[in-house]
Amino acid sequence: MNKSEKVDFVIRKLQELYPTIPVPLEHKDPYTLLIAVLMSAQSTDVRVNQITPLLFAKADNPYDMVKLSVDEIREIIKPVGLSPTKAKGIYGLSKILVEEYDGVVPKDIALLEEFPSVGHKTASVVVSQAFGIPAFPVDTHIHRLLYRWGFSNGKNVVQTEKDAKRLFPKELWNDLHLQIIWYGREYSPARGWELEKDIITKTIGRKKVLDDYHKLKKTR
């Protein structure tokens, strides 16, 4: 297969496996999604989905959130980890939304990136999942798989995002980034990876990745 054929294969296989695509983080609007994505840094979606209902029961909009203190927010979200930084970020961005945006989350990635604790990946997730604007947020699963598939050199997530946007049709970005995440979790994890279950990597994988996998299996 040439690269174009490999891209087509990936798209077809992912659409076959995930015709309907669940959104990993539970939310009801752009604001609650923004908070959930911020909280998910170095945590699991499962843990975040356990804690966000507790936080949103007290404050599910920026006006109510700024009525809480940073310490009160931190106490609620402590189980997700990095709670001091995340609590400051949640309070700080909520204050900005109230004071500068009439409580409305902006749709612009550049504006979102100016908020406390909001990086490029978080901003990209919000515009894609909350507003349907094409973006390609790159998490560890996407970074790993695009390297395994020979679509990116794996040096950094910035390059991986550029490669993904260059290879895949823009109208598919929002679906594909979620489909790849789910595929990575189910079929191509970082640990406990079984190539026989990973049909995409088995079919189109980078030669070095396949060779290294088989060498490792022989030593076990």
Side-chain angles (χ1 to χ4, degrees):
M1 284 189 214
N2 60 34
K3 184 160 283 189
S4 177
E5 291 170 333
K6 290 179 179 180
V7 169
D8 289 342
F9 174 80
V10 168
I11 292 171
R12 288 197 311 272
K13 183 55 66 174
L14 290 174
Q15 289 175 339
E16 175 187 315
L17 290 170
Y18 308 102
T20 58
I21 311 163
V23 176
L25 292 170
E26 296 172 9
H27 64 283
K28 67 175 186 177
D29 56 23
Y31 177 75
T32 53
L33 176 62
L34 175 59
I35 300 304
V37 178
L38 185 159
M39 287 172 57
S40 70
Q42 297 185 41
S43 187
T44 66
D45 293 343
V46 171
R47 177 59 58 85
V48 173
N49 287 336
Q50 291 171 341
I51 302 304
T52 47
L54 306 178
L55 178 63
F56 297 152
K58 289 184 175 291
D60 62 358
N61 62 80
Y63 293 95
D64 287 337
M65 194 67 74
V66 295
K67 294 176 183 176
L68 300 177
S69 68
V70 172
D71 285 342
E72 287 175 313
I73 297 170
R74 181 179 57 81
E75 193 61 33
I76 296 169
I77 70 170
K78 191 180 290 186
V80 303
L82 303 177
S83 58
T85 300
K86 291 177 182 179
K88 289 177 183 176
I90 290 169
Y91 182 88
L93 72 82
S94 299
K95 191 168 185 287
I96 293 172
L97 285 172
V98 169
E99 294 178 351
E100 300 181 24
Y101 293 93
D102 296 322
V104 178
V105 175
K107 299 180 180 181
D108 187 290
I109 286 180
L111 291 177
L112 286 168
E113 288 177 347
E114 294 177 357
F115 288 12
S117 300
V118 177
H120 180 69
K121 180 199 158 193
T122 296
S124 297
V125 171
V126 171
V127 300
S128 66
Q129 295 180 15
F131 301 118
I133 297 169
F136 214 112
V138 173
D139 76 343
T140 56
H141 298 290
I142 294 173
H143 186 55
R144 178 177 69 255
L145 292 191
L146 261 63
Y147 176 78
R148 282 183 176 172
W149 297 343
F151 290 164
S152 189
N153 60 25
K155 288 183 178 178
N156 56 67
V157 294
V158 174
Q159 186 59 49
T160 298
E161 181 180 338
K162 289 179 181 177
D163 292 335
K165 287 180 172 179
R166 177 175 52 83
L167 288 169
F168 295 111
K170 189 172 185 177
E171 65 272 16
L172 298 181
W173 290 355
N174 289 353
D175 284 350
L176 278 170
H177 97 262
L178 286 172
Q179 289 169 323
I180 295 172
I181 288 170
W182 286 114
Y183 185 87
R185 290 176 177 179
E186 294 189 53
Y187 299 100
S188 194
R191 298 179 182 178
W193 177 37
E194 293 293 337
L195 184 61
E196 291 303 313
K197 298 177 182 178
D198 183 354
I199 184 63
I200 294 179
T201 308
K202 183 180 177 183
T203 304
I204 68 161
R206 186 189 297 268
K207 184 177 184 300
K208 183 181 185 307
V209 169
L210 300 180
D211 289 346
D212 288 349
Y213 176 85
H214 291 305
K215 285 178 186 175
L216 184 63
K217 292 294 282 188
K218 285 181 181 179
T219 62
R220 288 179 177 173

